[in-house]
Amino acid sequence: MPPRSGRQLRITGHGYEADIASVGASLRALTFDGRDLVVPFDADEVRPGYRGATLAPWPNRIVDGRYRFGGVEHQLPLTEPARAQALHGLLAWVEFEDRLVLDDRVALAAVIEPQTGYPFRIEVEVEYRLEADGLRQTVTARNIGADAAPWGTGPHPYLVAGPGRVDDWTLTLPASEVLTVTPDRLSPVAVEPVTEHPEWDFRDARPIGDVFIDHAFTELTRTEGIAEVRLVTADGAGVGLAWDEGCPWVQVHTADTPAVPATHRIGLAVEPMTCPPDAFNSGVDLVTLAPGATHAASWRLFAV
């Protein structure tokens, strides 16, 4: 029997080692010179939540699981029952097939088949490639159906700077706007300047401390088109995540699980996204894939 998280694919190069699990095309572990850069999980473990999963055909939430596209109302299963939301797409628990397996690069593929709430057929390829500047993940969608389809994607790694927990690490997040949400269901409310919410203003590096974050950010400052989040320890070592204009949003979450001390604030979720939460309803930065069209987005994890 295969491990609970699926087939295991290991790639190595340039001091990095990455373990990919075939269920959800998930990043199960990533190290640099033996140091964890993400919160890992065991191969024979049901992946904890969405840790390391590939999110598609939407990242984050669709409020009430309901949306209208092409003049038709759709109702998705509510995969976040406590908040009555449709969370993180349709591929998190799908078994991907190998498309390419090399020492430093793997590509996996799966098809989203037409189903209740998402009657579209999308082929999704996920590539992980180790390069001198880190691990690059690329998600490519191709509409192999007869109808145009709504699309969005993103990753879900929990970054680890070093010893300790989120409270002990320093964050740099170059975002000048934050999407506020309702406290109970985390449904979007309004995009506001971080100057109105100084607890979420990390444009200048500072310790996270006991701040709670589970918000999407935008209006990202970029250098030559690249936005970069860094999470470091007191000695300056840590981890970074970088991406281009294909992802104008990033979700950040402090992984608060006070009822489960073993996982409480043990990593910082940093999720570049092609669109914001509930984009299937707002239409903000939503990709419409015409029949036969493709869309690709990528991001890079690296050691600091």
Side-chain angles (χ1 to χ4, degrees), residues 114-144:
Q115 58 198 273
T116 299
Y118 195 81
F120 313 103
R121 180 174 282 120
I122 309 295
E123 181 187 60
V124 181
E125 180 179 281
V126 180
E127 181 192 69
Y128 291 94
R129 182 197 294 261
L130 282 172
E131 302 171 334
D133 58 356
L135 175 69
R136 180 172 297 279
Q137 180 182 3
T138 302
V139 178
T140 303
R142 182 165 68 95
N143 187 343
I144 57 175

PDB file of all heavy atoms in Angstrom, residues 114-144:
ATOM      1  N   PRO A 114     -15.758  17.734 -14.717  1.00  0.00           N
ATOM      2  CA  PRO A 114     -16.991  18.472 -14.456  1.00  0.00           C
ATOM      3  C   PRO A 114     -17.760  17.831 -13.296  1.00  0.00           C
ATOM      4  O   PRO A 114     -17.887  16.605 -13.221  1.00  0.00           O
ATOM      5  CB  PRO A 114     -17.758  18.337 -15.782  1.00  0.00           C
ATOM      6  CG  PRO A 114     -16.701  18.109 -16.810  1.00  0.00           C
ATOM      7  CD  PRO A 114     -15.639  17.307 -16.126  1.00  0.00           C
ATOM      8  N   GLN A 115     -18.254  18.666 -12.397  1.00  0.00           N
ATOM      9  CA  GLN A 115     -18.928  18.180 -11.195  1.00  0.00           C
ATOM     10  C   GLN A 115     -19.893  19.236 -10.695  1.00  0.00           C
ATOM     11  O   GLN A 115     -19.896  20.378 -11.171  1.00  0.00           O
ATOM     12  CB  GLN A 115     -17.900  17.844 -10.117  1.00  0.00           C
ATOM     13  CG  GLN A 115     -17.005  19.020  -9.740  1.00  0.00           C
ATOM     14  CD  GLN A 115     -15.753  18.577  -9.030  1.00  0.00           C
ATOM     15  OE1 GLN A 115     -15.766  18.434  -7.808  1.00  0.00           O
ATOM     16  NE2 GLN A 115     -14.679  18.332  -9.775  1.00  0.00           N
ATOM     17  N   THR A 116     -20.694  18.849  -9.709  1.00  0.00           N
ATOM     18  CA  THR A 116     -21.650  19.780  -9.131  1.00  0.00           C
ATOM     19  C   THR A 116     -20.918  21.013  -8.598  1.00  0.00           C
ATOM     20  O   THR A 116     -19.976  20.891  -7.815  1.00  0.00           O
ATOM     21  CB  THR A 116     -22.418  19.112  -7.981  1.00  0.00           C
ATOM     22  OG1 THR A 116     -23.125  17.989  -8.496  1.00  0.00           O
ATOM     23  CG2 THR A 116     -23.393  20.093  -7.340  1.00  0.00           C
ATOM     24  N   GLY A 117     -21.321  22.179  -9.032  1.00  0.00           N
ATOM     25  CA  GLY A 117     -20.719  23.427  -8.584  1.00  0.00           C
ATOM     26  C   GLY A 117     -19.570  23.908  -9.439  1.00  0.00           C
ATOM     27  O   GLY A 117     -19.233  25.091  -9.422  1.00  0.00           O
ATOM     28  N   TYR A 118     -18.949  23.005 -10.207  1.00  0.00           N
ATOM     29  CA  TYR A 118     -17.850  23.395 -11.107  1.00  0.00           C
ATOM     30  C   TYR A 118     -17.913  22.483 -12.337  1.00  0.00           C
ATOM     31  O   TYR A 118     -17.148  21.517 -12.445  1.00  0.00           O
ATOM     32  CB  TYR A 118     -16.500  23.284 -10.403  1.00  0.00           C
ATOM     33  CG  TYR A 118     -15.369  24.002 -11.140  1.00  0.00           C
ATOM     34  CD1 TYR A 118     -15.199  25.378 -11.020  1.00  0.00           C
ATOM     35  CD2 TYR A 118     -14.487  23.297 -11.956  1.00  0.00           C
ATOM     36  CE1 TYR A 118     -14.175  26.037 -11.702  1.00  0.00           C
ATOM     37  CE2 TYR A 118     -13.467  23.944 -12.636  1.00  0.00           C
ATOM     38  CZ  TYR A 118     -13.313  25.311 -12.502  1.00  0.00           C
ATOM     39  OH  TYR A 118     -12.298  25.968 -13.163  1.00  0.00           O
ATOM     40  N   PRO A 119     -18.830  22.769 -13.267  1.00  0.00           N
ATOM     41  CA  PRO A 119     -19.064  21.892 -14.417  1.00  0.00           C
ATOM     42  C   PRO A 119     -18.102  22.137 -15.568  1.00  0.00           C
ATOM     43  O   PRO A 119     -18.504  22.236 -16.741  1.00  0.00           O
ATOM     44  CB  PRO A 119     -20.505  22.232 -14.809  1.00  0.00           C
ATOM     45  CG  PRO A 119     -20.625  23.678 -14.479  1.00  0.00           C
ATOM     46  CD  PRO A 119     -19.805  23.886 -13.228  1.00  0.00           C
ATOM     47  N   PHE A 120     -16.805  22.239 -15.244  1.00  0.00           N
ATOM     48  CA  PHE A 120     -15.787  22.559 -16.233  1.00  0.00           C
ATOM     49  C   PHE A 120     -14.700  21.483 -16.165  1.00  0.00           C
ATOM     50  O   PHE A 120     -14.519  20.831 -15.138  1.00  0.00           O
ATOM     51  CB  PHE A 120     -15.188  23.941 -15.961  1.00  0.00           C
ATOM     52  CG  PHE A 120     -16.232  25.007 -15.703  1.00  0.00           C
ATOM     53  CD1 PHE A 120     -16.484  25.452 -14.413  1.00  0.00           C
ATOM     54  CD2 PHE A 120     -16.975  25.524 -16.744  1.00  0.00           C
ATOM     55  CE1 PHE A 120     -17.447  26.415 -14.159  1.00  0.00           C
ATOM     56  CE2 PHE A 120     -17.955  26.485 -16.507  1.00  0.00           C
ATOM     57  CZ  PHE A 120     -18.192  26.937 -15.215  1.00  0.00           C
ATOM     58  N   ARG A 121     -13.970  21.305 -17.259  1.00  0.00           N
ATOM     59  CA  ARG A 121     -12.901  20.293 -17.296  1.00  0.00           C
ATOM     60  C   ARG A 121     -11.562  21.008 -17.506  1.00  0.00           C
ATOM     61  O   ARG A 121     -11.323  21.601 -18.562  1.00  0.00           O
ATOM     62  CB  ARG A 121     -13.157  19.265 -18.393  1.00  0.00           C
ATOM     63  CG  ARG A 121     -12.082  18.185 -18.465  1.00  0.00           C
ATOM     64  CD  ARG A 121     -12.430  17.092 -19.463  1.00  0.00           C
ATOM     65  NE  ARG A 121     -13.413  16.158 -18.907  1.00  0.00           N
ATOM     66  CZ  ARG A 121     -14.602  15.926 -19.431  1.00  0.00           C
ATOM     67  NH1 ARG A 121     -14.992  16.590 -20.512  1.00  0.00           N
ATOM     68  NH2 ARG A 121     -15.426  15.051 -18.871  1.00  0.00           N
ATOM     69  N   ILE A 122     -10.704  20.935 -16.478  1.00  0.00           N
ATOM     70  CA  ILE A 122      -9.417  21.633 -16.495  1.00  0.00           C
ATOM     71  C   ILE A 122      -8.295  20.639 -16.206  1.00  0.00           C
ATOM     72  O   ILE A 122      -8.335  19.928 -15.194  1.00  0.00           O
ATOM     73  CB  ILE A 122      -9.368  22.754 -15.436  1.00  0.00           C
ATOM     74  CG1 ILE A 122     -10.591  23.675 -15.552  1.00  0.00           C
ATOM     75  CG2 ILE A 122      -8.067  23.542 -15.575  1.00  0.00           C
ATOM     76  CD1 ILE A 122     -10.667  24.455 -16.833  1.00  0.00           C
ATOM     77  N   GLU A 123      -7.308  20.597 -17.081  1.00  0.00           N
ATOM     78  CA  GLU A 123      -6.099  19.818 -16.822  1.00  0.00           C
ATOM     79  C   GLU A 123      -5.105  20.704 -16.071  1.00  0.00           C
ATOM     80  O   GLU A 123      -4.848  21.847 -16.486  1.00  0.00           O
ATOM     81  CB  GLU A 123      -5.477  19.340 -18.127  1.00  0.00           C
ATOM     82  CG  GLU A 123      -4.217  18.504 -17.924  1.00  0.00           C
ATOM     83  CD  GLU A 123      -3.532  18.189 -19.237  1.00  0.00           C
ATOM     84  OE1 GLU A 123      -3.139  19.144 -19.940  1.00  0.00           O
ATOM     85  OE2 GLU A 123      -3.403  17.000 -19.556  1.00  0.00           O
ATOM     86  N   VAL A 124      -4.559  20.193 -14.975  1.00  0.00           N
ATOM     87  CA  VAL A 124      -3.658  20.975 -14.128  1.00  0.00           C
ATOM     88  C   VAL A 124      -2.316  20.247 -14.019  1.00  0.00           C
ATOM     89  O   VAL A 124      -2.272  19.068 -13.642  1.00  0.00           O
ATOM     90  CB  VAL A 124      -4.247  21.181 -12.723  1.00  0.00           C
ATOM     91  CG1 VAL A 124      -3.299  22.022 -11.868  1.00  0.00           C
ATOM     92  CG2 VAL A 124      -5.614  21.852 -12.817  1.00  0.00           C
ATOM     93  N   GLU A 125      -1.253  20.945 -14.363  1.00  0.00           N
ATOM     94  CA  GLU A 125       0.102  20.408 -14.190  1.00  0.00           C
ATOM     95  C   GLU A 125       0.823  21.210 -13.119  1.00  0.00           C
ATOM     96  O   GLU A 125       0.771  22.449 -13.125  1.00  0.00           O
ATOM     97  CB  GLU A 125       0.898  20.470 -15.490  1.00  0.00           C
ATOM     98  CG  GLU A 125       2.310  19.908 -15.344  1.00  0.00           C
ATOM     99  CD  GLU A 125       3.101  19.943 -16.626  1.00  0.00           C
ATOM    100  OE1 GLU A 125       2.879  19.063 -17.487  1.00  0.00           O
ATOM    101  OE2 GLU A 125       3.937  20.863 -16.786  1.00  0.00           O
ATOM    102  N   VAL A 126       1.470  20.517 -12.197  1.00  0.00           N
ATOM    103  CA  VAL A 126       2.237  21.150 -11.122  1.00  0.00           C
ATOM    104  C   VAL A 126       3.685  20.697 -11.242  1.00  0.00           C
ATOM    105  O   VAL A 126       3.975  19.500 -11.165  1.00  0.00           O
ATOM    106  CB  VAL A 126       1.674  20.774  -9.738  1.00  0.00           C
ATOM    107  CG1 VAL A 126       2.488  21.453  -8.644  1.00  0.00           C
ATOM    108  CG2 VAL A 126       0.205  21.153  -9.633  1.00  0.00           C
ATOM    109  N   GLU A 127       4.577  21.654 -11.442  1.00  0.00           N
ATOM    110  CA  GLU A 127       5.997  21.351 -11.554  1.00  0.00           C
ATOM    111  C   GLU A 127       6.752  21.915 -10.356  1.00  0.00           C
ATOM    112  O   GLU A 127       6.522  23.058  -9.945  1.00  0.00           O
ATOM    113  CB  GLU A 127       6.592  21.948 -12.834  1.00  0.00           C
ATOM    114  CG  GLU A 127       8.071  21.629 -12.999  1.00  0.00           C
ATOM    115  CD  GLU A 127       8.734  22.440 -14.104  1.00  0.00           C
ATOM    116  OE1 GLU A 127       8.894  23.670 -13.931  1.00  0.00           O
ATOM    117  OE2 GLU A 127       9.091  21.835 -15.122  1.00  0.00           O
ATOM    118  N   TYR A 128       7.627  21.098  -9.795  1.00  0.00           N
ATOM    119  CA  TYR A 128       8.572  21.533  -8.773  1.00  0.00           C
ATOM    120  C   TYR A 128       9.969  21.377  -9.355  1.00  0.00           C
ATOM    121  O   TYR A 128      10.335  20.301  -9.839  1.00  0.00           O
ATOM    122  CB  TYR A 128       8.466  20.686  -7.510  1.00  0.00           C
ATOM    123  CG  TYR A 128       7.193  20.870  -6.708  1.00  0.00           C
ATOM    124  CD1 TYR A 128       6.103  20.035  -6.905  1.00  0.00           C
ATOM    125  CD2 TYR A 128       7.109  21.859  -5.733  1.00  0.00           C
ATOM    126  CE1 TYR A 128       4.941  20.191  -6.162  1.00  0.00           C
ATOM    127  CE2 TYR A 128       5.952  22.020  -4.979  1.00  0.00           C
ATOM    128  CZ  TYR A 128       4.877  21.183  -5.198  1.00  0.00           C
ATOM    129  OH  TYR A 128       3.740  21.343  -4.448  1.00  0.00           O
ATOM    130  N   ARG A 129      10.753  22.461  -9.282  1.00  0.00           N
ATOM    131  CA  ARG A 129      12.098  22.432  -9.847  1.00  0.00           C
ATOM    132  C   ARG A 129      13.072  23.105  -8.876  1.00  0.00           C
ATOM    133  O   ARG A 129      12.821  24.231  -8.415  1.00  0.00           O
ATOM    134  CB  ARG A 129      12.118  23.182 -11.190  1.00  0.00           C
ATOM    135  CG  ARG A 129      13.474  23.174 -11.890  1.00  0.00           C
ATOM    136  CD  ARG A 129      13.531  24.262 -12.962  1.00  0.00           C
ATOM    137  NE  ARG A 129      12.604  23.987 -14.044  1.00  0.00           N
ATOM    138  CZ  ARG A 129      12.964  23.431 -15.215  1.00  0.00           C
ATOM    139  NH1 ARG A 129      14.230  23.120 -15.430  1.00  0.00           N
ATOM    140  NH2 ARG A 129      12.069  23.232 -16.154  1.00  0.00           N
ATOM    141  N   LEU A 130      14.167  22.398  -8.575  1.00  0.00           N
ATOM    142  CA  LEU A 130      15.206  22.966  -7.713  1.00  0.00           C
ATOM    143  C   LEU A 130      16.249  23.664  -8.570  1.00  0.00           C
ATOM    144  O   LEU A 130      16.805  23.075  -9.505  1.00  0.00           O
ATOM    145  CB  LEU A 130      15.859  21.883  -6.853  1.00  0.00           C
ATOM    146  CG  LEU A 130      15.040  21.436  -5.653  1.00  0.00           C
ATOM    147  CD1 LEU A 130      15.688  20.235  -4.977  1.00  0.00           C
ATOM    148  CD2 LEU A 130      14.884  22.580  -4.648  1.00  0.00           C
ATOM    149  N   GLU A 131      16.517  24.924  -8.224  1.00  0.00           N
ATOM    150  CA  GLU A 131      17.505  25.728  -8.919  1.00  0.00           C
ATOM    151  C   GLU A 131      18.448  26.326  -7.886  1.00  0.00           C
ATOM    152  O   GLU A 131      18.245  26.166  -6.675  1.00  0.00           O
ATOM    153  CB  GLU A 131      16.805  26.820  -9.734  1.00  0.00           C
ATOM    154  CG  GLU A 131      15.819  26.247 -10.759  1.00  0.00           C
ATOM    155  CD  GLU A 131      14.959  27.309 -11.412  1.00  0.00           C
ATOM    156  OE1 GLU A 131      14.742  28.373 -10.778  1.00  0.00           O
ATOM    157  OE2 GLU A 131      14.495  27.083 -12.534  1.00  0.00           O
ATOM    158  N   ALA A 132      19.452  27.039  -8.329  1.00  0.00           N
ATOM    159  CA  ALA A 132      20.426  27.616  -7.404  1.00  0.00           C
ATOM    160  C   ALA A 132      19.780  28.591  -6.435  1.00  0.00           C
ATOM    161  O   ALA A 132      20.252  28.764  -5.299  1.00  0.00           O
ATOM    162  CB  ALA A 132      21.545  28.303  -8.187  1.00  0.00           C
ATOM    163  N   ASP A 133      18.683  29.240  -6.854  1.00  0.00           N
ATOM    164  CA  ASP A 133      18.031  30.234  -6.002  1.00  0.00           C
ATOM    165  C   ASP A 133      16.799  29.685  -5.288  1.00  0.00           C
ATOM    166  O   ASP A 133      15.979  30.448  -4.795  1.00  0.00           O
ATOM    167  CB  ASP A 133      17.674  31.491  -6.787  1.00  0.00           C
ATOM    168  CG  ASP A 133      16.764  31.212  -7.977  1.00  0.00           C
ATOM    169  OD1 ASP A 133      16.459  30.030  -8.241  1.00  0.00           O
ATOM    170  OD2 ASP A 133      16.351  32.175  -8.646  1.00  0.00           O
ATOM    171  N   GLY A 134      16.642  28.343  -5.229  1.00  0.00           N
ATOM    172  CA  GLY A 134      15.570  27.776  -4.431  1.00  0.00           C
ATOM    173  C   GLY A 134      14.665  26.826  -5.190  1.00  0.00           C
ATOM    174  O   GLY A 134      15.004  26.338  -6.283  1.00  0.00           O
ATOM    175  N   LEU A 135      13.509  26.565  -4.596  1.00  0.00           N
ATOM    176  CA  LEU A 135      12.520  25.657  -5.168  1.00  0.00           C
ATOM    177  C   LEU A 135      11.446  26.467  -5.868  1.00  0.00           C
ATOM    178  O   LEU A 135      10.743  27.263  -5.236  1.00  0.00           O
ATOM    179  CB  LEU A 135      11.889  24.803  -4.069  1.00  0.00           C
ATOM    180  CG  LEU A 135      10.736  23.895  -4.517  1.00  0.00           C
ATOM    181  CD1 LEU A 135      11.248  22.769  -5.411  1.00  0.00           C
ATOM    182  CD2 LEU A 135       9.988  23.334  -3.311  1.00  0.00           C
ATOM    183  N   ARG A 136      11.286  26.252  -7.165  1.00  0.00           N
ATOM    184  CA  ARG A 136      10.250  26.943  -7.938  1.00  0.00           C
ATOM    185  C   ARG A 136       9.101  25.977  -8.203  1.00  0.00           C
ATOM    186  O   ARG A 136       9.299  24.863  -8.681  1.00  0.00           O
ATOM    187  CB  ARG A 136      10.802  27.469  -9.254  1.00  0.00           C
ATOM    188  CG  ARG A 136       9.757  28.214 -10.097  1.00  0.00           C
ATOM    189  CD  ARG A 136      10.377  28.876 -11.302  1.00  0.00           C
ATOM    190  NE  ARG A 136      11.337  29.890 -10.917  1.00  0.00           N
ATOM    191  CZ  ARG A 136      11.022  31.129 -10.556  1.00  0.00           C
ATOM    192  NH1 ARG A 136       9.742  31.504 -10.528  1.00  0.00           N
ATOM    193  NH2 ARG A 136      11.967  31.988 -10.221  1.00  0.00           N
ATOM    194  N   GLN A 137       7.900  26.440  -7.888  1.00  0.00           N
ATOM    195  CA  GLN A 137       6.691  25.685  -8.187  1.00  0.00           C
ATOM    196  C   GLN A 137       5.906  26.445  -9.248  1.00  0.00           C
ATOM    197  O   GLN A 137       5.692  27.658  -9.118  1.00  0.00           O
ATOM    198  CB  GLN A 137       5.820  25.498  -6.942  1.00  0.00           C
ATOM    199  CG  GLN A 137       4.537  24.723  -7.202  1.00  0.00           C
ATOM    200  CD  GLN A 137       3.651  24.596  -5.968  1.00  0.00           C
ATOM    201  OE1 GLN A 137       3.962  25.136  -4.914  1.00  0.00           O
ATOM    202  NE2 GLN A 137       2.547  23.892  -6.106  1.00  0.00           N
ATOM    203  N   THR A 138       5.491  25.742 -10.283  1.00  0.00           N
ATOM    204  CA  THR A 138       4.691  26.337 -11.350  1.00  0.00           C
ATOM    205  C   THR A 138       3.417  25.530 -11.529  1.00  0.00           C
ATOM    206  O   THR A 138       3.469  24.302 -11.651  1.00  0.00           O
ATOM    207  CB  THR A 138       5.468  26.378 -12.678  1.00  0.00           C
ATOM    208  OG1 THR A 138       6.676  27.122 -12.502  1.00  0.00           O
ATOM    209  CG2 THR A 138       4.639  27.025 -13.778  1.00  0.00           C
ATOM    210  N   VAL A 139       2.285  26.206 -11.524  1.00  0.00           N
ATOM    211  CA  VAL A 139       0.985  25.571 -11.748  1.00  0.00           C
ATOM    212  C   VAL A 139       0.450  26.059 -13.093  1.00  0.00           C
ATOM    213  O   VAL A 139       0.284  27.266 -13.295  1.00  0.00           O
ATOM    214  CB  VAL A 139      -0.006  25.909 -10.618  1.00  0.00           C
ATOM    215  CG1 VAL A 139      -1.365  25.274 -10.899  1.00  0.00           C
ATOM    216  CG2 VAL A 139       0.532  25.440  -9.277  1.00  0.00           C
ATOM    217  N   THR A 140       0.195  25.112 -13.985  1.00  0.00           N
ATOM    218  CA  THR A 140      -0.302  25.439 -15.321  1.00  0.00           C
ATOM    219  C   THR A 140      -1.668  24.781 -15.520  1.00  0.00           C
ATOM    220  O   THR A 140      -1.811  23.566 -15.320  1.00  0.00           O
ATOM    221  CB  THR A 140       0.657  24.947 -16.408  1.00  0.00           C
ATOM    222  OG1 THR A 140       1.948  25.525 -16.183  1.00  0.00           O
ATOM    223  CG2 THR A 140       0.169  25.347 -17.792  1.00  0.00           C
ATOM    224  N   ALA A 141      -2.647  25.581 -15.888  1.00  0.00           N
ATOM    225  CA  ALA A 141      -3.993  25.084 -16.152  1.00  0.00           C
ATOM    226  C   ALA A 141      -4.262  25.147 -17.646  1.00  0.00           C
ATOM    227  O   ALA A 141      -3.867  26.097 -18.327  1.00  0.00           O
ATOM    228  CB  ALA A 141      -5.021  25.924 -15.409  1.00  0.00           C
ATOM    229  N   ARG A 142      -4.965  24.117 -18.159  1.00  0.00           N
ATOM    230  CA  ARG A 142      -5.398  24.124 -19.550  1.00  0.00           C
ATOM    231  C   ARG A 142      -6.859  23.711 -19.593  1.00  0.00           C
ATOM    232  O   ARG A 142      -7.239  22.669 -19.052  1.00  0.00           O
ATOM    233  CB  ARG A 142      -4.551  23.175 -20.401  1.00  0.00           C
ATOM    234  CG  ARG A 142      -4.924  23.181 -21.883  1.00  0.00           C
ATOM    235  CD  ARG A 142      -3.833  22.522 -22.718  1.00  0.00           C
ATOM    236  NE  ARG A 142      -3.731  21.098 -22.454  1.00  0.00           N
ATOM    237  CZ  ARG A 142      -4.330  20.146 -23.178  1.00  0.00           C
ATOM    238  NH1 ARG A 142      -5.088  20.492 -24.217  1.00  0.00           N
ATOM    239  NH2 ARG A 142      -4.167  18.878 -22.890  1.00  0.00           N
ATOM    240  N   ASN A 143      -7.663  24.544 -20.212  1.00  0.00           N
ATOM    241  CA  ASN A 143      -9.088  24.253 -20.317  1.00  0.00           C
ATOM    242  C   ASN A 143      -9.299  23.250 -21.450  1.00  0.00           C
ATOM    243  O   ASN A 143      -9.155  23.578 -22.619  1.00  0.00           O
ATOM    244  CB  ASN A 143      -9.875  25.543 -20.584  1.00  0.00           C
ATOM    245  CG  ASN A 143     -11.379  25.315 -20.541  1.00  0.00           C
ATOM    246  OD1 ASN A 143     -11.863  24.199 -20.630  1.00  0.00           O
ATOM    247  ND2 ASN A 143     -12.130  26.405 -20.408  1.00  0.00           N
ATOM    248  N   ILE A 144      -9.625  22.008 -21.077  1.00  0.00           N
ATOM    249  CA  ILE A 144      -9.831  20.972 -22.082  1.00  0.00           C
ATOM    250  C   ILE A 144     -11.323  20.675 -22.262  1.00  0.00           C
ATOM    251  O   ILE A 144     -11.696  19.651 -22.849  1.00  0.00           O
ATOM    252  CB  ILE A 144      -9.052  19.687 -21.732  1.00  0.00           C
ATOM    253  CG1 ILE A 144      -9.447  19.157 -20.353  1.00  0.00           C
ATOM    254  CG2 ILE A 144      -7.551  19.951 -21.797  1.00  0.00           C
ATOM    255  CD1 ILE A 144      -8.794  17.808 -20.013  1.00  0.00           C
TER     256      ILE A 144
END
